[in-house]
Amino acid sequence: MEPDQKKPRFLLKKTQNDLNEVLENKESSNTKKATKSAANVLRNYCTERGKDYTKKDGEFYKKSSLNCIREGLARYLKKERKINIIEDPEFDSANEIFRAQLVELKRQGKGGTEHKEPVEEHDLNKLYSNCDVSTPKGLQQKVWLDIMIYLIRRGRENLRQMTKATFAVKIDAAGNHYVTQTVDEMDKNHRENCDRNATIGEGRMYENPQSIHCPVKTFEMYTSKLHPDLA
């Protein structure tokens, strides 16, 4: 290649619109919705100033909800008004009151996160009984049900972007086969994390040769049926 045809080392300078698009894409759609919702809460509060900080039904917000609203307000005001309500010294007293309110909510039993009840075994068996692995659709449903149960830690988030290259079958020191996630994904709460391998290998979906629902067996069956050119 001639010197004058050499590919430039540095990209052309981005326009302000390009930079704005990068900033806009930095946050997930759920984060943007949370920010908008938090701004609406603030507007409603300002309209009804003087009332307790409650929901529309009159109940107090839980600790997790208040933190979510606060983070949303912080993002909104930092972007729109260049104000940081969490770190700016002018808001020290407000933040102290906020922390005191969280303590009070915890005292009232509204401080923790409400976890869903685990799926009972007979309900799991009902789900699996509807997955006919002798059919393409049933096999796919069975494999994704296994992946959701054993490996996916954030519900359906990023599920559509995952491919067969996202996972791999490995063998542990005892000779047992298992499926694990080998490619990390960007989630809504950790979009700036530079350590892309932070969660790789956290979960393991082990084989169960005695079970007709062995997750490793059906995973290997499913991936073997996919088109060879699919990554």
Side-chain angles (χ1 to χ4, degrees), residues 171-182:
I171 305 176
D172 66 11
N176 299 310
H177 291 73
Y178 65 92
V179 177
T180 188
Q181 186 174 339
T182 58

Side-chain angles (χ1 to χ4, degrees), residues 103-163:
V103 172
E104 176 62 19
L105 288 174
K106 187 174 182 179
R107 187 185 65 80
Q108 297 178 11
K110 298 179 179 293
T113 301
E114 291 185 0
H115 296 285
K116 302 297 183 182
E117 291 292 328
V119 180
E120 296 186 7
E121 186 174 354
H122 73 275
D123 290 325
L124 278 178
N125 289 332
K126 286 182 181 179
L127 289 172
Y128 281 123
S129 66
N130 290 319
C131 298
D132 184 0
V133 297
S134 65
T135 67
K137 182 178 180 180
L139 178 60
Q140 183 184 58
Q141 289 175 335
K142 162 64 167 59
V143 171
W144 283 109
L145 178 58
D146 286 335
I147 289 175
M148 288 283 290
I149 292 173
Y150 291 100
L151 300 177
I152 304 304
R153 64 197 186 286
R154 299 191 65 84
R156 293 177 295 176
E157 186 179 352
N158 296 328
L159 197 60
R160 291 184 179 274
Q161 285 72 47
M162 293 179 176
T163 68

Side-chain angles (χ1 to χ4, degrees), residues 49-205:
R49 189 172 182 179
K51 294 186 177 182
D52 286 330
Y53 201 17
T54 60
K55 298 184 291 185
K56 290 181 179 180
D57 60 6
E59 291 292 322
F60 282 97
Y61 285 98
K62 295 184 183 299
K63 177 181 175 181
S64 57
S65 298
L66 280 182
N67 274 316
C68 184
I69 293 172
R70 182 191 187 218
E71 293 292 335
L73 286 175
R75 288 191 299 269
Y76 177 80
L77 293 173
K78 188 174 182 180
K79 179 180 178 181
E80 300 295 332
R81 301 293 182 87
K82 311 303 179 187
I83 297 173
N84 191 326
I85 63 173
I86 296 178
E87 297 181 0
D88 287 351
E90 293 87 344
F91 295 91
D92 284 348
S93 60
N95 283 311
E96 185 64 28
I97 294 173
F98 178 81
R99 288 188 289 270
Q101 179 64 22
L102 295 185
V103 172
E104 176 62 19
L105 288 174
K106 187 174 182 179
R107 187 185 65 80
Q108 297 178 11
K110 298 179 179 293
T113 301
E114 291 185 0
H115 296 285
K116 302 297 183 182
E117 291 292 328
V119 180
E120 296 186 7
E121 186 174 354
H122 73 275
D123 290 325
L124 278 178
N125 289 332
K126 286 182 181 179
L127 289 172
Y128 281 123
S129 66
N130 290 319
C131 298
D132 184 0
V133 297
S134 65
T135 67
K137 182 178 180 180
L139 178 60
Q140 183 184 58
Q141 289 175 335
K142 162 64 167 59
V143 171
W144 283 109
L145 178 58
D146 286 335
I147 289 175
M148 288 283 290
I149 292 173
Y150 291 100
L151 300 177
I152 304 304
R153 64 197 186 286
R154 299 191 65 84
R156 293 177 295 176
E157 186 179 352
N158 296 328
L159 197 60
R160 291 184 179 274
Q161 285 72 47
M162 293 179 176
T163 68
K164 65 180 181 181
T166 305
F167 309 96
V169 178
K170 296 185 178 182
I171 305 176
D172 66 11
N176 299 310
H177 291 73
Y178 65 92
V179 177
T180 188
Q181 186 174 339
T182 58
V183 178
D184 199 10
E185 81 274 10
M186 179 171 61
D187 61 56
K188 65 181 181 181
N189 292 336
H190 302 91
R191 299 173 71 84
E192 301 174 35
N193 186 2
C194 294
D195 185 2
R196 303 297 294 141
N197 297 324
T199 56
I200 291 177
E202 275 190 350
R204 293 186 178 188
M205 183 169 70

Side-chain angles (χ1 to χ4, degrees), residues 203-219:
R204 293 186 178 188
M205 183 169 70
Y206 271 95
E207 65 180 343
N208 185 1
Q210 285 73 40
S211 173
I212 60 174
H213 301 309
C214 176
V216 175
K217 180 180 178 180
T218 49
F219 176 85

